[in-house]
Amino acid sequence: MKYKPKSNSKSLKPPSVLGELALWVLAGLFMSALALVSMTGVKFLLGWGETEWIVASIAIGIASLTWGSWAALLWTRSRVLKTLMLLVVLLPGIAMAVVGGWAFLTLPENRWIWKWGWLIVAGHGVGAVVMTALVGGRQLMANYASAQIRPRQLAVGWTLYPLLVVSGGIFVVVASFVLMPDLFCDTQNTMGVIAHWIVPSLAVVLLTTALPAAASQICDRLTQMAEQ
């Protein structure tokens, strides 16, 4: 019986699809919980009432469900799961484009709803879909030299990634109120009406697509640099 020398490779056994799926679910729950906790600080900073805070928390909780998918793209090796994650992160943009387009074409304009505002929402949705497809598609088609979950990727995905996304999201929310407080208070002028459509729809794009995708790219680049 021939002796087989032990390999000097430190590679680990690739995780199962179920294991990566579990990490994906945990990442989504973790990111949503972290976003909800951050909303408490925003409430006191902006002086929101209970109703405003509850509505904003529900919205940010739903929006942040996609963040876990962006984080999971850092470590997932399964091409099937990567495809599903890409579809998940495309959902906010698709929803904005479809709902905005449908509302613009079918809903009549009245004094409560500015008809052209729905076109702004649809436009932001289309932009989000394009950007998500470009950024997420690169990670989907990436070829990894190793089939293992690298410890550095997990560490970055669970620590630095949430920090980048949540801090960026808080900055977007606070900046929109600080830079344009008069526009939000006065809806009688044209710019005020436009701002009420542009800022919220753009914030949705930033919080569900641009910020998480940018954080994912930064974290992915850092892990690659750490291995060189």
Side-chain angles (χ1 to χ4, degrees):
M1 183 175 181
K2 294 183 178 180
Y3 171 73
K4 294 182 179 181
K6 295 182 179 179
S7 174
N8 293 327
S9 175
K10 296 182 180 180
S11 61
L12 302 176
K13 184 179 179 181
S16 65
V17 174
L18 290 179
E20 290 187 343
L21 180 61
L23 283 174
W24 179 16
V25 173
L26 287 174
L29 295 176
F30 175 68
M31 293 302 299
S32 295
L34 196 59
L36 292 175
V37 171
S38 69
M39 289 305 297
T40 302
V42 176
K43 172 188 176 183
F44 290 105
L45 184 62
L46 299 179
W48 282 349
E50 289 298 324
T51 302
E52 293 173 314
W53 176 69
I54 292 174
V55 172
S57 296
I58 293 175
I60 199 67
I62 295 175
S64 62
L65 289 175
T66 61
W67 299 359
S69 298
W70 282 110
L73 281 170
L74 290 174
W75 61 68
T76 301
R77 292 294 180 266
S78 169
R79 188 58 58 90
V80 174
L81 288 183
K82 278 182 174 291
T83 302
L84 292 176
M85 291 171 189
L86 181 59
L87 293 176
V88 169
V89 298
L90 282 170
L91 287 178
I94 293 175
M96 291 177 67
V98 172
V99 173
W102 173 83
F104 175 74
L105 294 174
T106 60
L107 294 182
E109 183 174 0
N110 56 51
R111 68 194 188 104
W112 298 109
I113 299 177
W114 186 47
K115 185 179 180 66
W116 288 91
W118 291 113
L119 197 58
I120 294 175
V121 174
H124 282 157
V126 172
V129 169
V130 173
M131 199 278 285
T132 304
L134 290 176
V135 177
R138 288 178 57 189
Q139 290 185 312
L140 177 64
M141 302 305 297
N143 293 320
Y144 294 94
S146 174
Q148 66 178 0
I149 287 184
R150 290 170 286 193
R152 290 189 185 93
Q153 286 179 308
L154 288 173
V156 169
W158 286 97
T159 55
L160 181 59
Y161 179 86
L163 179 63
L164 290 175
V165 177
V166 174
S167 59
I170 293 175
F171 175 79
V172 170
V173 174
V174 174
S176 64
F177 283 92
V178 172
L179 295 177
M180 294 181 292
D182 295 335
L183 295 181
F184 281 94
C185 296
D186 184 9
T187 60
Q188 302 303 317
N189 61 74
T190 302
M191 286 303 299
V193 174
I194 295 176
H196 270 75
W197 287 91
I198 291 180
V199 175
S201 58
L202 183 57
V204 171
V205 173
L206 290 174
L207 293 174
T208 59
T209 302
L211 288 175
S216 180
Q217 290 292 301
I218 292 173
C219 292
D220 196 34
R221 181 63 60 86
L222 289 175
T223 55
Q224 290 179 13
M225 291 174 58
E227 293 176 353
Q228 294 177 355

